[in-house]
Amino acid sequence: MHELSLAENILEIVEAERAGRRFSRVHVIRLRAGALSGIDPEALRLAMESVCEGTCAAEAAVEIDAEPRIVTCRRCGATMPGDVGPAACASCGSIDLELAGSSGLDIVSLEVD
Amino acid sequence: MAKLPLGRNVRGRNDETAAENRRRFAEARLCAVNLLSSPGSGKTSLLERTAERMKDRWRILVIDGDVETERDAQRLRAAGLEAIQIQTHGACHLNAMMIAEQVATVDPAAFDLLLIENIGNLVCPSNYDLGESSRVVVASTTEGDDKPIKYPEAYHTADLCVLNKVDLLPYLPFDVAAFEAGVRRVKADMPVLHTSCTTGAGLEAWCAWLDGQVRATRGEPGKS
Ligand SMILES: Nc1nc2c(ncn2[C@@H]2O[C@H](COP(=O)(O)OP(=O)(O)O)[C@@H](O)[C@H]2O)c(=O)[nH]1
Ligand SMILES: [Mg+2]
Ligand SMILES: [Zn+2]
């Protein structure tokens, strides 16, 4: 459900760009999804397929660059990959770690003609 | 084929409307609190208990989101609150436009506290700013102690975590220390309150926190 409304938002933005810039077909839609954006890339691709049917983006490939989750150390600032991360900081041993990452979802670029 | 760099926020329309809501709330000195949780953790129960303790002190409006039915708004009206029900008919989160539409039907300056009960879902609502002043994630002991690390989005964006149904702790394999460690791993400085809507435990602390939020919005000093 969530992905469906996001797909509609994406198409809205693409259609607005088309009105301003006069292209007829979208070949690639490139997205960037923050680590805490709550997005399931596969579900978003499926939603895009159904929402874009019969539009200028019907054939578009949807490329999603999903940022990995990271944990930052609140003592030394080191960052480590992982969902909840290690038990202690790899560089200073502190256990004062916190999940980091953006909740953003952006359209980075389009390939059109 | 040409490449068009865009750099556009997909939730841009929501975020702009949320900023407008926030401006309107500030103008009306209305404190807006957004409650997130999975279904059944006790959001409506917590609001019913809040009504008993706070409705004579502050003028409270509730906007209640559910997929279907008016049930929760009816429960809150029975508890003596003014309540608006939003039925999303399938959508899994409230968005800023839905809130703007409902706020336009009332005089926001006629209230001190707006309590928004979001749709029961720990994923989608976390990424939709409604223009609230603060966000609360309501967890419950029956959900298991691993939810903060399994659903970090909701916990990462919240200002307060309420752990509800603590009256059931004796009957459940729920490890409070593990739960709180998970909360801290997702958001290091988040306060956690323990409540029971059945026994009333912890509700004083919850109401004191809400009271502080309302006073801060009104520019009043902390304690009554
Ligand atoms: N034992 C116990 N049950 C609770 C508590 N709070 C809520 N409940 C029950 O949990 C169920 C769901 O509560 P509700 O407020 O409708 O949850 P919501 O879906 O988050 O609004 C109801 O049957 C409530 O009576 C609590 O603190 N302890
Ligand atoms: Mg409810
Ligand atoms: Zn470190």
Side-chain angles (χ1 to χ4, degrees):
Chain A
M1 287 319 296
H2 178 224
E3 276 77 9
L4 202 57
S5 65
L6 290 172
E8 285 163 1
N9 292 150
I10 293 167
L11 181 63
E12 248 171 64
I13 294 171
V14 169
E15 292 285 11
E17 286 298 319
R18 188 167 75 106
R21 309 209 203 194
R22 301 169 180 282
F23 51 81
S24 58
R25 229 171 237 304
V26 183
H27 297 281
V28 181
I29 301 176
R30 196 159 288 122
L31 305 171
R32 186 177 45 238
L36 296 171
S37 61
I39 281 149
D40 173 355
E42 226 20 74
L44 183 54
R45 257 186 225 105
L46 275 176
M48 285 296 288
E49 250 174 54
S50 80
V51 165
C52 294
E53 218 182 289
T55 73
C56 66
E59 308 293 320
V62 179
E63 293 176 6
I64 304 171
D65 170 19
E67 290 175 353
R69 281 198 180 138
I70 55 166
V71 192
T72 59
C73 172
R74 301 220 305 158
R75 185 156 94 191
C76 77
T79 64
M80 289 140 271
D83 252 15
V84 259
C89 173
S91 64
C92 80
S94 166
I95 56 161
D96 193 6
L97 307 176
E98 184 177 40
L99 191 66
S102 128
S103 61
L105 176 67
D106 297 299
I107 308 183
V108 179
S109 63
L110 301 177
E111 283 179 32
V112 300
D113 67 17
Chain B
M1 197 149 78
K3 182 165 170 172
L4 290 183
L6 280 192
R8 292 279 304 272
N9 172 6
V10 172
R11 300 189 185 95
R13 197 157 69 89
N14 182 79
D15 292 355
E16 284 156 25
T17 310
E20 265 168 51
N21 290 348
R22 192 164 280 118
R23 246 194 320 278
R24 182 163 307 145
F25 297 155
E27 233 172 55
R29 299 236 244 154
L30 175 62
C31 173
V33 177
N34 183 4
L35 287 103
L36 265 53
S37 87
S38 46
S41 67
K43 296 180 298 304
T44 310
S45 305
L46 192 62
L47 296 183
E48 288 172 323
R49 301 286 88 84
T50 305
E52 292 163 6
R53 288 166 173 78
M54 305 266 285
K55 73 175 188 310
D56 297 327
R57 201 173 333 161
W58 303 115
R59 300 165 298 168
I60 303 175
L61 174 67
V62 179
I63 296 183
D64 207 295
D66 271 304
V67 174
E68 303 289 346
T69 83
E70 232 350 89
R71 288 175 66 97
D72 279 4
Q74 284 164 354
R75 280 172 62 184
L76 294 164
R77 284 178 204 128
L81 298 183
E82 197 155 325
I84 298 173
Q85 181 77 49
I86 296 179
Q87 296 181 46
T88 62
H89 302 298
C92 52
H93 58 272
L94 295 179
N95 65 40
M97 287 71 82
M98 297 173 185
I99 298 299
E101 194 185 324
Q102 297 307 323
V103 168
T105 67
V106 298
D107 171 15
F111 298 95
D112 307 303
L113 176 59
L114 169 61
L115 295 165
I116 302 170
E117 178 177 345
N118 217 310
I119 311 292
N121 176 335
L122 276 178
V123 182
C124 319
S126 2
N127 292 310
Y128 287 84
D129 183 9
L130 304 180
E132 69 267 27
S133 359
S134 48
R135 191 176 278 196
V136 176
V137 59
V138 181
S140 63
T141 54
T142 47
E143 292 161 42
D145 51 34
D146 57 356
K147 291 308 172 287
I149 54 178
K150 277 192 178 160
Y151 296 93
E153 289 88 356
Y155 288 83
H156 194 72
T157 61
D159 303 294
L160 174 74
C161 173
V162 171
L163 176 61
N164 189 37
K165 307 195 188 182
V166 292
D167 56 289
L168 300 178
L169 279 172
Y171 316 103
L172 297 167
F174 185 98
D175 182 341
V176 174
F179 175 81
E180 293 192 341
V183 171
R184 275 197 302 279
R185 181 54 67 93
V186 176
K187 188 167 183 187
D189 297 320
M190 183 136 70
V192 180
L193 297 180
H194 296 186
T195 62
S196 167
C197 293
T198 316
T199 67
L203 294 176
E204 286 309 318
W206 154 249
C207 289
W209 182 86
L210 269 181
D211 213 61
Q213 301 297 304
V214 177
R215 285 174 191 282
T217 306
R218 298 162 60 87
E220 292 175 13
K223 209 70 205 132
S224 51

PDB file of all heavy atoms in Angstrom, chain B residues 108-133:
ATOM      1  N   PRO B 108      -8.250  25.848  15.157  1.00  0.00           N
ATOM      2  CA  PRO B 108      -7.143  25.240  15.905  1.00  0.00           C
ATOM      3  C   PRO B 108      -6.805  26.008  17.185  1.00  0.00           C
ATOM      4  O   PRO B 108      -6.319  25.411  18.150  1.00  0.00           O
ATOM      5  CB  PRO B 108      -5.967  25.254  14.909  1.00  0.00           C
ATOM      6  CG  PRO B 108      -6.390  26.059  13.744  1.00  0.00           C
ATOM      7  CD  PRO B 108      -7.874  26.232  13.790  1.00  0.00           C
ATOM      8  N   ALA B 109      -7.126  27.306  17.214  1.00  0.00           N
ATOM      9  CA  ALA B 109      -6.818  28.084  18.413  1.00  0.00           C
ATOM     10  C   ALA B 109      -7.776  27.761  19.561  1.00  0.00           C
ATOM     11  O   ALA B 109      -7.559  28.166  20.701  1.00  0.00           O
ATOM     12  CB  ALA B 109      -6.854  29.572  18.090  1.00  0.00           C
ATOM     13  N   ALA B 110      -8.843  26.986  19.251  1.00  0.00           N
ATOM     14  CA  ALA B 110      -9.781  26.603  20.304  1.00  0.00           C
ATOM     15  C   ALA B 110      -9.302  25.386  21.085  1.00  0.00           C
ATOM     16  O   ALA B 110     -10.004  24.885  21.967  1.00  0.00           O
ATOM     17  CB  ALA B 110     -11.161  26.330  19.690  1.00  0.00           C
ATOM     18  N   PHE B 111      -8.110  24.859  20.725  1.00  0.00           N
ATOM     19  CA  PHE B 111      -7.566  23.681  21.419  1.00  0.00           C
ATOM     20  C   PHE B 111      -6.136  23.935  21.871  1.00  0.00           C
ATOM     21  O   PHE B 111      -5.427  24.752  21.288  1.00  0.00           O
ATOM     22  CB  PHE B 111      -7.604  22.461  20.485  1.00  0.00           C
ATOM     23  CG  PHE B 111      -8.991  22.091  20.062  1.00  0.00           C
ATOM     24  CD1 PHE B 111      -9.508  22.556  18.846  1.00  0.00           C
ATOM     25  CD2 PHE B 111      -9.802  21.315  20.882  1.00  0.00           C
ATOM     26  CE1 PHE B 111     -10.805  22.234  18.464  1.00  0.00           C
ATOM     27  CE2 PHE B 111     -11.094  20.987  20.507  1.00  0.00           C
ATOM     28  CZ  PHE B 111     -11.601  21.449  19.299  1.00  0.00           C
ATOM     29  N   ASP B 112      -5.731  23.209  22.940  1.00  0.00           N
ATOM     30  CA  ASP B 112      -4.353  23.281  23.420  1.00  0.00           C
ATOM     31  C   ASP B 112      -3.529  22.092  22.959  1.00  0.00           C
ATOM     32  O   ASP B 112      -2.317  22.183  22.829  1.00  0.00           O
ATOM     33  CB  ASP B 112      -4.331  23.293  24.963  1.00  0.00           C
ATOM     34  CG  ASP B 112      -5.239  24.381  25.516  1.00  0.00           C
ATOM     35  OD1 ASP B 112      -5.028  25.555  25.159  1.00  0.00           O
ATOM     36  OD2 ASP B 112      -6.165  24.045  26.282  1.00  0.00           O
ATOM     37  N   LEU B 113      -4.210  20.951  22.777  1.00  0.00           N
ATOM     38  CA  LEU B 113      -3.495  19.707  22.500  1.00  0.00           C
ATOM     39  C   LEU B 113      -4.216  18.924  21.414  1.00  0.00           C
ATOM     40  O   LEU B 113      -5.416  18.654  21.521  1.00  0.00           O
ATOM     41  CB  LEU B 113      -3.423  18.875  23.799  1.00  0.00           C
ATOM     42  CG  LEU B 113      -2.793  17.492  23.730  1.00  0.00           C
ATOM     43  CD1 LEU B 113      -1.359  17.543  23.244  1.00  0.00           C
ATOM     44  CD2 LEU B 113      -2.867  16.802  25.106  1.00  0.00           C
ATOM     45  N   LEU B 114      -3.486  18.599  20.357  1.00  0.00           N
ATOM     46  CA  LEU B 114      -4.011  17.750  19.291  1.00  0.00           C
ATOM     47  C   LEU B 114      -3.308  16.403  19.380  1.00  0.00           C
ATOM     48  O   LEU B 114      -2.079  16.322  19.250  1.00  0.00           O
ATOM     49  CB  LEU B 114      -3.750  18.386  17.918  1.00  0.00           C
ATOM     50  CG  LEU B 114      -4.008  17.500  16.693  1.00  0.00           C
ATOM     51  CD1 LEU B 114      -5.463  17.045  16.615  1.00  0.00           C
ATOM     52  CD2 LEU B 114      -3.603  18.216  15.404  1.00  0.00           C
ATOM     53  N   LEU B 115      -4.084  15.357  19.648  1.00  0.00           N
ATOM     54  CA  LEU B 115      -3.516  14.010  19.717  1.00  0.00           C
ATOM     55  C   LEU B 115      -3.898  13.273  18.439  1.00  0.00           C
ATOM     56  O   LEU B 115      -5.082  13.139  18.122  1.00  0.00           O
ATOM     57  CB  LEU B 115      -4.065  13.279  20.946  1.00  0.00           C
ATOM     58  CG  LEU B 115      -3.659  13.893  22.290  1.00  0.00           C
ATOM     59  CD1 LEU B 115      -4.534  13.349  23.421  1.00  0.00           C
ATOM     60  CD2 LEU B 115      -2.185  13.621  22.576  1.00  0.00           C
ATOM     61  N   ILE B 116      -2.911  12.850  17.685  1.00  0.00           N
ATOM     62  CA  ILE B 116      -3.175  12.163  16.415  1.00  0.00           C
ATOM     63  C   ILE B 116      -2.866  10.680  16.598  1.00  0.00           C
ATOM     64  O   ILE B 116      -1.727  10.305  16.867  1.00  0.00           O
ATOM     65  CB  ILE B 116      -2.306  12.741  15.281  1.00  0.00           C
ATOM     66  CG1 ILE B 116      -2.552  14.243  15.123  1.00  0.00           C
ATOM     67  CG2 ILE B 116      -2.590  11.995  13.973  1.00  0.00           C
ATOM     68  CD1 ILE B 116      -1.573  14.943  14.189  1.00  0.00           C
ATOM     69  N   GLU B 117      -3.892   9.846  16.491  1.00  0.00           N
ATOM     70  CA  GLU B 117      -3.668   8.388  16.538  1.00  0.00           C
ATOM     71  C   GLU B 117      -3.471   7.909  15.113  1.00  0.00           C
ATOM     72  O   GLU B 117      -4.393   7.901  14.302  1.00  0.00           O
ATOM     73  CB  GLU B 117      -4.853   7.661  17.197  1.00  0.00           C
ATOM     74  CG  GLU B 117      -4.624   6.145  17.197  1.00  0.00           C
ATOM     75  CD  GLU B 117      -5.716   5.315  17.891  1.00  0.00           C
ATOM     76  OE1 GLU B 117      -6.535   5.883  18.644  1.00  0.00           O
ATOM     77  OE2 GLU B 117      -5.735   4.095  17.661  1.00  0.00           O
ATOM     78  N   ASN B 118      -2.242   7.540  14.772  1.00  0.00           N
ATOM     79  CA  ASN B 118      -1.938   7.119  13.405  1.00  0.00           C
ATOM     80  C   ASN B 118      -2.462   5.706  13.152  1.00  0.00           C
ATOM     81  O   ASN B 118      -2.906   5.017  14.071  1.00  0.00           O
ATOM     82  CB  ASN B 118      -0.421   7.203  13.168  1.00  0.00           C
ATOM     83  CG  ASN B 118      -0.082   7.663  11.770  1.00  0.00           C
ATOM     84  OD1 ASN B 118      -0.603   7.133  10.791  1.00  0.00           O
ATOM     85  ND2 ASN B 118       0.797   8.649  11.665  1.00  0.00           N
ATOM     86  N   ILE B 119      -2.430   5.267  11.906  1.00  0.00           N
ATOM     87  CA  ILE B 119      -2.846   3.907  11.546  1.00  0.00           C
ATOM     88  C   ILE B 119      -1.887   2.913  12.212  1.00  0.00           C
ATOM     89  O   ILE B 119      -0.685   3.145  12.243  1.00  0.00           O
ATOM     90  CB  ILE B 119      -2.736   3.701  10.018  1.00  0.00           C
ATOM     91  CG1 ILE B 119      -3.400   4.845   9.249  1.00  0.00           C
ATOM     92  CG2 ILE B 119      -3.307   2.346   9.598  1.00  0.00           C
ATOM     93  CD1 ILE B 119      -4.873   4.916   9.363  1.00  0.00           C
ATOM     94  N   GLY B 120      -2.424   1.818  12.731  1.00  0.00           N
ATOM     95  CA  GLY B 120      -1.584   0.805  13.358  1.00  0.00           C
ATOM     96  C   GLY B 120      -0.681   0.139  12.342  1.00  0.00           C
ATOM     97  O   GLY B 120      -1.117  -0.653  11.509  1.00  0.00           O
ATOM     98  N   ASN B 121       0.606   0.526  12.380  1.00  0.00           N
ATOM     99  CA  ASN B 121       1.579   0.070  11.385  1.00  0.00           C
ATOM    100  C   ASN B 121       2.907   0.675  11.813  1.00  0.00           C
ATOM    101  O   ASN B 121       2.983   1.876  12.065  1.00  0.00           O
ATOM    102  CB  ASN B 121       1.134   0.612  10.018  1.00  0.00           C
ATOM    103  CG  ASN B 121       2.094   0.311   8.876  1.00  0.00           C
ATOM    104  OD1 ASN B 121       3.289   0.108   9.062  1.00  0.00           O
ATOM    105  ND2 ASN B 121       1.567   0.282   7.678  1.00  0.00           N
ATOM    106  N   LEU B 122       3.943  -0.134  11.914  1.00  0.00           N
ATOM    107  CA  LEU B 122       5.211   0.420  12.418  1.00  0.00           C
ATOM    108  C   LEU B 122       6.160   0.867  11.302  1.00  0.00           C
ATOM    109  O   LEU B 122       7.244   1.340  11.571  1.00  0.00           O
ATOM    110  CB  LEU B 122       5.922  -0.597  13.316  1.00  0.00           C
ATOM    111  CG  LEU B 122       5.483  -0.627  14.779  1.00  0.00           C
ATOM    112  CD1 LEU B 122       6.235  -1.700  15.542  1.00  0.00           C
ATOM    113  CD2 LEU B 122       5.673   0.728  15.462  1.00  0.00           C
ATOM    114  N   VAL B 123       5.767   0.684  10.047  1.00  0.00           N
ATOM    115  CA  VAL B 123       6.691   1.034   8.965  1.00  0.00           C
ATOM    116  C   VAL B 123       6.308   2.357   8.295  1.00  0.00           C
ATOM    117  O   VAL B 123       6.996   3.361   8.442  1.00  0.00           O
ATOM    118  CB  VAL B 123       6.785  -0.093   7.912  1.00  0.00           C
ATOM    119  CG1 VAL B 123       7.790   0.280   6.829  1.00  0.00           C
ATOM    120  CG2 VAL B 123       7.191  -1.400   8.574  1.00  0.00           C
ATOM    121  N   CYS B 124       5.169   2.352   7.588  1.00  0.00           N
ATOM    122  CA  CYS B 124       4.849   3.487   6.716  1.00  0.00           C
ATOM    123  C   CYS B 124       4.656   4.814   7.447  1.00  0.00           C
ATOM    124  O   CYS B 124       5.183   5.833   6.996  1.00  0.00           O
ATOM    125  CB  CYS B 124       3.631   3.184   5.879  1.00  0.00           C
ATOM    126  SG  CYS B 124       3.641   1.499   5.265  1.00  0.00           S
ATOM    127  N   PRO B 125       3.901   4.858   8.568  1.00  0.00           N
ATOM    128  CA  PRO B 125       3.650   6.173   9.170  1.00  0.00           C
ATOM    129  C   PRO B 125       4.931   6.894   9.592  1.00  0.00           C
ATOM    130  O   PRO B 125       4.962   8.116   9.661  1.00  0.00           O
ATOM    131  CB  PRO B 125       2.792   5.856  10.394  1.00  0.00           C
ATOM    132  CG  PRO B 125       2.132   4.562  10.065  1.00  0.00           C
ATOM    133  CD  PRO B 125       3.173   3.798   9.287  1.00  0.00           C
ATOM    134  N   SER B 126       5.999   6.144   9.864  1.00  0.00           N
ATOM    135  CA  SER B 126       7.226   6.797  10.357  1.00  0.00           C
ATOM    136  C   SER B 126       7.805   7.774   9.354  1.00  0.00           C
ATOM    137  O   SER B 126       8.510   8.696   9.738  1.00  0.00           O
ATOM    138  CB  SER B 126       8.307   5.787  10.722  1.00  0.00           C
ATOM    139  OG  SER B 126       7.921   4.485  10.474  1.00  0.00           O
ATOM    140  N   ASN B 127       7.550   7.576   8.072  1.00  0.00           N
ATOM    141  CA  ASN B 127       8.177   8.433   7.069  1.00  0.00           C
ATOM    142  C   ASN B 127       7.257   9.529   6.546  1.00  0.00           C
ATOM    143  O   ASN B 127       7.567  10.165   5.545  1.00  0.00           O
ATOM    144  CB  ASN B 127       8.716   7.576   5.934  1.00  0.00           C
ATOM    145  CG  ASN B 127       9.880   6.734   6.410  1.00  0.00           C
ATOM    146  OD1 ASN B 127      10.799   7.239   7.018  1.00  0.00           O
ATOM    147  ND2 ASN B 127       9.804   5.441   6.183  1.00  0.00           N
ATOM    148  N   TYR B 128       6.113   9.732   7.227  1.00  0.00           N
ATOM    149  CA  TYR B 128       5.216  10.813   6.841  1.00  0.00           C
ATOM    150  C   TYR B 128       5.100  11.827   7.967  1.00  0.00           C
ATOM    151  O   TYR B 128       4.417  11.592   8.964  1.00  0.00           O
ATOM    152  CB  TYR B 128       3.843  10.251   6.440  1.00  0.00           C
ATOM    153  CG  TYR B 128       3.926   9.567   5.102  1.00  0.00           C
ATOM    154  CD1 TYR B 128       4.353   8.252   5.000  1.00  0.00           C
ATOM    155  CD2 TYR B 128       3.656  10.267   3.926  1.00  0.00           C
ATOM    156  CE1 TYR B 128       4.484   7.637   3.769  1.00  0.00           C
ATOM    157  CE2 TYR B 128       3.781   9.660   2.690  1.00  0.00           C
ATOM    158  CZ  TYR B 128       4.195   8.346   2.621  1.00  0.00           C
ATOM    159  OH  TYR B 128       4.338   7.748   1.404  1.00  0.00           O
ATOM    160  N   ASP B 129       5.797  12.937   7.792  1.00  0.00           N
ATOM    161  CA  ASP B 129       5.699  14.057   8.721  1.00  0.00           C
ATOM    162  C   ASP B 129       4.294  14.623   8.607  1.00  0.00           C
ATOM    163  O   ASP B 129       3.810  14.859   7.498  1.00  0.00           O
ATOM    164  CB  ASP B 129       6.750  15.109   8.309  1.00  0.00           C
ATOM    165  CG  ASP B 129       6.791  16.286   9.267  1.00  0.00           C
ATOM    166  OD1 ASP B 129       6.134  16.225  10.329  1.00  0.00           O
ATOM    167  OD2 ASP B 129       7.488  17.269   8.941  1.00  0.00           O
ATOM    168  N   LEU B 130       3.615  14.831   9.740  1.00  0.00           N
ATOM    169  CA  LEU B 130       2.268  15.401   9.710  1.00  0.00           C
ATOM    170  C   LEU B 130       2.286  16.864  10.135  1.00  0.00           C
ATOM    171  O   LEU B 130       1.273  17.536  10.078  1.00  0.00           O
ATOM    172  CB  LEU B 130       1.345  14.599  10.638  1.00  0.00           C
ATOM    173  CG  LEU B 130       1.241  13.092  10.365  1.00  0.00           C
ATOM    174  CD1 LEU B 130       0.286  12.438  11.362  1.00  0.00           C
ATOM    175  CD2 LEU B 130       0.791  12.818   8.934  1.00  0.00           C
ATOM    176  N   GLY B 131       3.452  17.337  10.573  1.00  0.00           N
ATOM    177  CA  GLY B 131       3.550  18.692  11.100  1.00  0.00           C
ATOM    178  C   GLY B 131       3.481  18.705  12.618  1.00  0.00           C
ATOM    179  O   GLY B 131       3.346  19.751  13.247  1.00  0.00           O
ATOM    180  N   GLU B 132       3.583  17.516  13.233  1.00  0.00           N
ATOM    181  CA  GLU B 132       3.475  17.398  14.687  1.00  0.00           C
ATOM    182  C   GLU B 132       4.659  18.043  15.398  1.00  0.00           C
ATOM    183  O   GLU B 132       5.729  18.190  14.822  1.00  0.00           O
ATOM    184  CB  GLU B 132       3.385  15.920  15.092  1.00  0.00           C
ATOM    185  CG  GLU B 132       4.650  15.088  14.885  1.00  0.00           C
ATOM    186  CD  GLU B 132       4.685  14.382  13.529  1.00  0.00           C
ATOM    187  OE1 GLU B 132       4.061  14.887  12.577  1.00  0.00           O
ATOM    188  OE2 GLU B 132       5.356  13.337  13.434  1.00  0.00           O
ATOM    189  N   SER B 133       4.442  18.390  16.696  1.00  0.00           N
ATOM    190  CA  SER B 133       5.557  18.901  17.502  1.00  0.00           C
ATOM    191  C   SER B 133       6.358  17.757  18.075  1.00  0.00           C
ATOM    192  O   SER B 133       7.552  17.883  18.294  1.00  0.00           O
ATOM    193  CB  SER B 133       5.078  19.802  18.631  1.00  0.00           C
ATOM    194  OG  SER B 133       3.688  19.972  18.637  1.00  0.00           O
TER     195      SER B 133
END
